[in-house]
Amino acid sequence: MKFLDRLSYKYGRHAIENLMLYIVIGMAIIFLSDFLLLPQIGFSLSSLLTFNKAAILSGQIWRVFTFIFLPPDSSTIFMVFALYFYWLIGSGLENAWGAFKFNVYYLVGILGTIVAGLLTGYATNYYLNMSLFFAFAALYPDFEVLLFFILPIKIKWLAILDAVYFLISFFTAGFGGKIALLVAIANFLLFFGGDFIDRIKAFIRKRKFKRDFR
């Protein structure tokens, strides 16, 4: 973070503010396009934007980046919730870090996902966006959301459930999915690994102190 602080001081004016808002707007446009046009004329905008290694190598270069705007596969009601949630965690991280650090976090995740996709042929923005969720939970563990729009629950408990889901997904996903998942986790640990190590050291010191003075 100190390194990022120095970079932010020098290049922070070039950061894209409200980055997650633009991404969410892009997702909403693609979702509405598919929702309105696919049943009528059979046109799917999302099919032109997915990450496809063969299509990329044949000249459809835009697919290298456009997959980040693909909306989650969900019903209309939960789509609204998902897009709001993406905006919430993105804006929360930007408020905590500043636009530059948030841009770097997301960009590093995108680049890692792209590299993994070019190697394995599979790339998705799902794990990338989930790494944002883990970052948000690390910064705001006691933030409450309404589960199913009804039940209040702290974000840290949802993060634990998603961590379990990630673990299960790692063993059930294909090779490409495993790599994409590991890239997302690596991106999170790159920014928060030091904090976790410090917490573990503090816990060990605390336990040792209690043991020595028991």
Side-chain angles (χ1 to χ4, degrees):
M1 284 300 182
K2 292 180 180 178
F3 175 68
L4 281 179
D5 286 336
R6 292 194 295 269
L7 289 179
S8 179
Y9 179 77
K10 294 179 63 175
Y11 306 108
R13 64 184 181 278
H14 301 299
I16 302 174
E17 296 185 359
N18 299 313
L19 174 62
M20 205 62 197
L21 176 62
Y22 298 132
I23 294 173
V24 166
I25 290 175
M27 288 180 173
I29 292 173
I30 294 170
F31 175 78
L32 289 175
S33 173
D34 287 348
F35 180 79
L36 296 174
L37 299 181
L38 187 59
Q40 300 297 325
I41 61 175
F43 174 77
S44 172
L45 179 59
S46 60
S47 66
L48 298 177
L49 305 178
T50 56
F51 189 96
N52 185 304
K53 183 177 179 180
I56 292 171
L57 295 178
S58 68
Q60 299 180 19
I61 305 298
W62 64 85
R63 292 178 182 268
V64 172
F65 300 102
T66 53
F67 75 95
I68 67 174
F69 294 101
L70 293 176
D73 186 13
S74 180
S75 65
T76 304
I77 294 178
F78 280 95
M79 178 62 61
V80 174
F81 171 76
L83 295 185
Y84 169 75
F85 192 65
Y86 283 163
W87 170 81
L88 175 69
I89 60 178
S91 61
L93 291 174
E94 185 172 323
N95 289 334
W97 285 341
F100 182 81
K101 291 181 183 179
F102 177 66
N103 282 192
V104 172
Y105 184 89
Y106 203 77
L107 179 61
V108 170
I110 291 173
L111 292 178
T113 302
I114 291 172
V115 171
L118 292 175
L119 292 175
T120 66
Y122 176 81
T124 176
N125 63 359
Y126 173 73
Y127 297 125
L128 172 63
N129 290 328
M130 288 306 299
S131 75
L132 298 181
F133 172 61
F134 287 132
F136 183 87
L139 292 177
Y140 305 101
D142 294 321
F143 184 88
E144 286 190 345
V145 296
L146 293 179
L147 186 64
F148 304 118
F149 306 101
I150 300 174
L151 302 175
I153 184 171
K154 290 185 177 180
I155 206 78
K156 61 184 177 183
W157 303 124
L158 289 179
I160 292 174
L161 290 176
D162 280 317
V164 172
Y165 174 75
F166 261 44
L167 183 62
I168 295 173
S169 297
F170 179 78
F171 291 104
T172 58
F175 177 72
K178 286 182 171 65
I179 298 300
L181 190 153
L182 289 175
V183 167
I185 295 299
N187 187 42
F188 171 75
L189 292 178
L190 179 65
F191 284 77
F192 289 91
D195 290 339
F196 282 117
I197 292 175
D198 290 341
R199 290 179 186 179
I200 292 173
K201 289 180 178 179
F203 176 77
I204 294 174
R205 288 195 298 268
K206 184 177 180 180
R207 295 284 294 183
K208 184 178 179 180
F209 179 82
K210 288 183 176 180
R211 184 186 62 196
D212 292 342
F213 291 90
R214 181 173 295 172

